[in-house]
Structures are given as structure tokens and as C-alpha cells.
Amino acid sequence: TPLEALPAVAEPLGLRTRRGRGVRAVGRELLVAQLAQRLARERTNLLLVGEPGTGKSAVLHDAIRQAARTKDDATLEARREERPDEPPPPQQFWRTTGQRLISGMKYLGQWEARCEKLIEELGETNGTLCADELLELVRVGGQDTSESVAAFFAPYLERGELRLVSEASPAQLDAIRVVSL
């Protein structure tokens, strides 16, 4: 089935980063390699924590490019043997923000339905959602944090039905801890 929710609220990261655009994580090759290995082989949620301007996004984008290349190589090799005429699978890493997830939704339950469809499509494509800022997911979506996008995602994350990679500064992480008490 064609993807509907993912392209509406997120952009594929692997394709863009494979073309070499964006900032590189120079001097952080070991960290990039470790993160790429986790992204390619483990089904875990990841949070990159660091001060603003320290290169979290650059490390993440380089790691996604490496992980996508690793997965693509393995997938293409397997597909050549099984189904040589079939195209490669869709992109696996999708970048979004909390605001994009809820934009245009004006009625109760609309953004939740969109997020359920998004989670379903990510599951079908073995995709990973990359949210720019974790704090934004905690703050958007409802009157308080118990109605937020992050609260909605929590059960899916706990059950392993959604894989999320995000970033936060130490101050944002402290704010999340205070909000969730």
C-alpha cells in the first residue's frame, strides 16, 4: 500500500543525507559509527543529549546515512537473490517535528488518528521516526502533557511498535523531567 501519513508529516532522511548535503560530524567518527551500528542493528529508541551547537544533529545525520547504507547493502544483496526485479524498500528514517504532526488538525482525535496511521506505516516499512526536539513532543497536542504527542507515543514505544530517535539539550531534558512528575 502507498504511504500516506508519513510523506504528509515527515521527510525521508536517508535519501537526503546519502546525497552528501548537510553538516558533517568531523572528528566524531567513532560516535557516528557507534550510533550507526545501533540504528542499523538494534530496535531501540535513542535520545541524543548535548548542549545546543555541539553537533547532535550532524552526528545523527551521518549515523543515519551510514545505517541506511548498511541496511541498503544487506537488503539489496538479499533481494538480488530472492526478487531481482523488485525495487528496493522505501526509506527507513523519517524526520518530523511535533508541530508537523498536529498541523492542520482542528477536531478532537484528528492528530491521534494521523499518528496511529503514521505508526502503522512506520511498522510496515520498518521505519524509524526522528523528531527534532523531544521537548516539543511533550508540549504539543493537548491542554497538558498527559494529552501530548509524547504521551500518545509512550505506549507504542514501550511495546516496541514505534522506534523514535530524538535530541534534547540538558536543560530541555530537565524540563521534561519536571513536566512528567
Side-chain angles (χ1 to χ4, degrees):
T1 61
L3 301 176
E4 297 171 10
L6 271 170
V9 297
E11 61 187 26
L13 266 179
L15 180 64
R16 190 175 74 180
T17 55
R18 259 190 251 141
R19 289 187 185 144
R21 292 188 199 154
V23 179
R24 296 287 181 154
V26 178
R28 303 259 178 106
E29 290 80 10
L30 180 59
L31 183 58
V32 168
Q34 291 170 340
L35 185 56
Q37 184 176 16
R38 291 189 82 173
L39 289 170
R41 294 191 176 95
E42 298 176 23
R43 185 103 179 123
T44 59
N45 301 302
L46 299 170
L47 177 63
L48 280 76
V49 179
E51 293 295 339
T54 57
K56 295 180 301 293
S57 296
V59 167
L60 179 60
H61 287 233
D62 277 358
I64 286 171
R65 191 183 71 253
Q66 274 189 24
R69 187 176 34 227
T70 301
K71 281 193 171 265
D72 284 351
D73 291 347
T75 302
L76 287 173
E77 200 58 42
R79 284 185 179 266
R80 278 189 204 125
E81 294 172 10
E82 294 173 22
R83 297 168 259 165
D85 298 331
E86 217 173 280
Q91 291 298 308
Q92 297 175 354
F93 298 95
W94 295 84
R95 178 177 175 232
T96 193
T97 65
Q99 287 297 329
R100 283 183 74 180
L101 292 170
I102 65 168
S103 71
M105 306 288 105
K106 54 186 173 182
Y107 298 112
L108 186 63
Q110 278 188 310
W111 70 259
E112 291 93 337
R114 174 188 273 173
C115 286
E116 284 178 348
K117 181 70 175 160
L118 175 103
I119 292 167
E120 179 184 318
E121 290 178 3
L122 285 166
E124 290 171 1
T125 62
N126 194 25
T128 298
L129 190 63
C130 301
D132 285 347
E133 289 187 13
L134 185 61
L135 183 58
E136 185 183 18
L137 295 181
V138 172
R139 290 187 170 163
V140 300
Q143 297 295 325
D144 62 39
T145 57
S146 67
E147 299 171 347
S148 69
V149 172
F152 181 83
F153 282 163
Y156 294 97
L157 293 167
E158 290 170 7
R159 292 190 302 259
E161 296 172 24
L162 172 64
R163 185 175 182 205
L164 180 69
V165 175
S166 193
E167 300 175 23
S169 69
Q172 290 172 331
L173 193 55
D174 289 341
I176 292 167
R177 287 182 181 132
V178 169
V179 168
S180 63
L181 290 178

